[in-house]
Amino acid sequence: MSDLQALTEVGRISRGQRVLVIGASGGVGSYAGQLARVFESEVTAVCSTSKLGYVRSLGADHVLDYTCQDFADGPHRYDLILDIAENSSLSRLRRALTPAGTLVIVGGEEGGRWTGGFGRSLRAPILSAFVPQRLTMLASKERASDQEQLAALMAAGTVTPSVDSTYPLDHVGEAMRRLEAGDVRGKIAITI
Ligand SMILES: NC(=O)c1ccc[n+]([C@@H]2O[C@H](COP(=O)([O-])OP(=O)(O)OC[C@H]3O[C@@H](n4cnc5c(N)ncnc54)[C@H](OP(=O)(O)O)[C@@H]3O)[C@@H](O)[C@H]2O)c1
């Protein structure tokens, strides 16, 4: 649901926009890229080398390998950026936005003695008041209407649930280790 809210309610996506999804191979990003395509967007997906084929299979128009490519370099600018990873500075993200583009920060960040990993998310709305770009953060909400919308898209085959693997509850430690190792494509499900 955070993927849907990041694109629609916070990102205010409109048809045909150029959308950059940073962290497109993860639990949130694997849905965000697919949902952006529902709006006929041109989607550029950022992930690591071994997952490029995976994000392409989810429908991304273009893929960028963060281990050797910088999304802020080159001529491309994006109308909407979802930053689901955790390590890009606001200046780098702004460089990749169109002059009136929108940034939605979904992921936190490491460090920040006083801000507890929310430094960018707190600075973005303040900076946004002084620049033409919209710099925002997502605080996702649990909502039945979002679940219904996602369920309808899945039932229609427009969005494919991307579950890497399923673990019983007593193997949750193993599942968490795989997540922490960056080994997972999409989501892990725990059966109870
Ligand atoms: N704001 C909210 O309301 C909200 C809601 C839900 C989640 N979140 C946050 O969103 C973040 C992601 O959640 P998730 O479940 O999607 O995590 P995840 O499944 O671990 O996915 C992380 C993603 O980040 C990518 N990534 C890692 N290092 C990167 C780098 N240096 N440059 C670019 N991309 C990089 C990974 O790519 P590879 O796997 O290819 O390395 C992967 O696609 C977390 O911080 C979570 O707390 C926030």
Side-chain angles (χ1 to χ4, degrees):
M1 278 179 310
S2 40
D3 23 58
L4 184 64
Q5 290 167 17
L7 282 168
T8 56
E9 192 175 315
V10 183
R12 300 178 194 163
I13 189 171
S14 54
R15 288 199 185 276
Q17 284 190 324
R18 296 185 73 159
V19 177
L20 180 72
V21 181
I22 307 169
S25 55
V28 176
S30 59
Y31 285 81
Q34 294 187 72
L35 287 166
R37 297 279 296 138
V38 174
F39 292 88
E40 295 162 21
S41 302
E42 185 179 332
V43 176
T44 300
V46 182
C47 65
S48 60
T49 317
S50 64
K51 297 179 184 169
L52 292 172
Y54 166 69
V55 294
R56 249 190 226 107
S57 76
L58 295 175
D61 298 288
H62 314 283
V63 293
L64 292 176
D65 178 349
Y66 68 72
T67 68
C68 57
Q69 289 171 292
D70 186 342
F71 62 79
D73 277 352
H76 301 299
R77 294 294 171 265
Y78 303 91
D79 303 301
L80 175 59
I81 298 179
L82 300 194
D83 184 14
I84 307 166
E86 305 175 356
N87 56 0
S88 300
S89 66
L90 285 179
S91 59
R92 184 167 164 230
L93 290 160
R94 284 191 60 211
R95 202 148 35 92
L97 273 179
T98 55
T102 295
L103 165 69
V104 182
I105 297 174
V106 179
E109 67 198 55
E110 286 183 1
R113 187 174 168 200
W114 304 109
T115 51
F118 285 94
R120 288 182 319 164
S121 303
L122 296 173
R123 285 193 308 278
I126 298 169
L127 180 60
S128 191
F130 302 98
V131 297
Q133 296 157 329
R134 261 184 80 232
L135 312 174
T136 63
M137 61 163 281
L138 173 76
S140 61
K141 309 172 191 96
E142 294 290 322
R143 261 195 319 240
S145 57
D146 288 344
Q147 282 173 350
E148 282 160 13
Q149 199 177 341
L150 274 177
L153 288 167
M154 287 178 200
T158 314
V159 170
T160 306
S162 187
V163 178
D164 178 288
S165 36
T166 303
Y167 290 84
L169 188 57
D170 57 349
H171 283 65
V172 74
E174 195 183 325
M176 292 308 294
R177 277 190 290 280
R178 282 198 57 217
L179 266 176
E180 279 170 15
D183 191 25
V184 175
R185 288 162 171 72
K187 292 201 187 276
I188 279 185
I190 306 295
T191 52
I192 299 174

